[in-house]
């Protein structure tokens, strides 16, 4: 894609904050950091407008607590229309990690992820949403 240049005027403290952000995230330059921030904002807008997005829900739980797995499976079946695939990894003797790839309306992805993450016994859970634009 053709790159266009434009000038940006910023207060000194904002420029300093931008440079810290560049350094902290190891962006090669300010342009890359600004690009990242704009895209992040556009994706978040799509979530708010409930547009079509894709994402992954990652959960970690102890499979010895059988009710966690049962509940998770029940919930996932209720949302089968937005689930593309599920990958299950046996992390160690106790812990399982599941990566659930999802595609659909942002609100549905959020609802599914909130239901899974709030199951009693889930150690950790996170939803990552993105868009192809
Ligand atoms: Ni497992």
């Amino acid at each position: 894609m053709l790159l266009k240049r434009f000038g940006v005027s910023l207060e000194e403290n904002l420029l300093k904050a931008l440079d810290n952000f560049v350094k902290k995230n190891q962006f090669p330059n300010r342009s890359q950091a600004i690009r990242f921030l704009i895209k992040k904002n556009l994706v978040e807008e799509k979530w708010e407008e409930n547009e079509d997005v894709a994402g992954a829900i990652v959960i970690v739980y102890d499979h010895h607590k059988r009710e966690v797995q049962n509940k998770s499976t029940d919930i996932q079946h209720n949302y089968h229309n937005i689930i593309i695939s599920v990958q299950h990894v046996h992390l160690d003797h106790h812990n399982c990690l599941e990566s659930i790839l999802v595609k659909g309306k942002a609100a549905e992805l959020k609802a599914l992820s909130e239901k899974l993450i709030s199951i009693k016994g889930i150690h950790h859970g996170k939803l990552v949403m993105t868009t192809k634009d």
Side-chain angles (χ1 to χ4, degrees), residues 61 63 69 88-98:
Y61 60 90
H63 75 97
Q69 200 150 24
H88 184 110
V89 179
H90 312 303
L91 286 181
D92 55 33
H93 188 69
H94 290 279
N95 294 299
C96 301
L97 178 146
E98 247 171 51

Side-chain angles (χ1 to χ4, degrees), residues 4-22:
K4 301 253 182 183
R5 284 179 154 271
F6 68 102
V8 180
S9 306
L10 281 181
E11 289 80 1
E12 209 184 327
N13 60 338
L14 265 186
L15 183 60
K16 211 175 245 179
L18 177 64
D19 285 338
N20 284 338
F21 183 76
V22 168

Side-chain angles (χ1 to χ4, degrees), residues 2-51:
L2 184 70
L3 294 179
K4 301 253 182 183
R5 284 179 154 271
F6 68 102
V8 180
S9 306
L10 281 181
E11 289 80 1
E12 209 184 327
N13 60 338
L14 265 186
L15 183 60
K16 211 175 245 179
L18 177 64
D19 285 338
N20 284 338
F21 183 76
V22 168
K23 214 171 159 188
K24 198 176 143 198
N25 294 282
Q26 299 183 342
F27 287 112
N29 49 47
R30 288 173 179 161
S31 291
Q32 189 61 26
I34 290 171
R35 196 173 292 128
F36 169 85
L37 290 170
I38 292 171
K39 286 202 170 161
K40 183 168 175 276
N41 195 269
L42 290 177
V43 170
E44 280 167 6
E45 236 168 55
K46 281 190 189 282
W47 302 354
E48 276 159 22
E49 289 162 6
N50 197 22
E51 288 195 34

Side-chain angles (χ1 to χ4, degrees), residues 39-81:
K39 286 202 170 161
K40 183 168 175 276
N41 195 269
L42 290 177
V43 170
E44 280 167 6
E45 236 168 55
K46 281 190 189 282
W47 302 354
E48 276 159 22
E49 289 162 6
N50 197 22
E51 288 195 34
D52 283 309
V53 291
I57 303 165
V58 174
I59 51 175
V60 177
Y61 60 90
D62 184 340
H63 75 97
H64 289 121
K65 293 177 183 152
R66 289 285 164 201
E67 73 282 2
V68 177
Q69 200 150 24
N70 285 340
K71 241 184 210 167
S72 169
T73 303
D74 281 350
I75 293 167
Q76 289 184 42
H77 275 272
N78 289 339
Y79 286 86
H80 67 87
N81 54 318

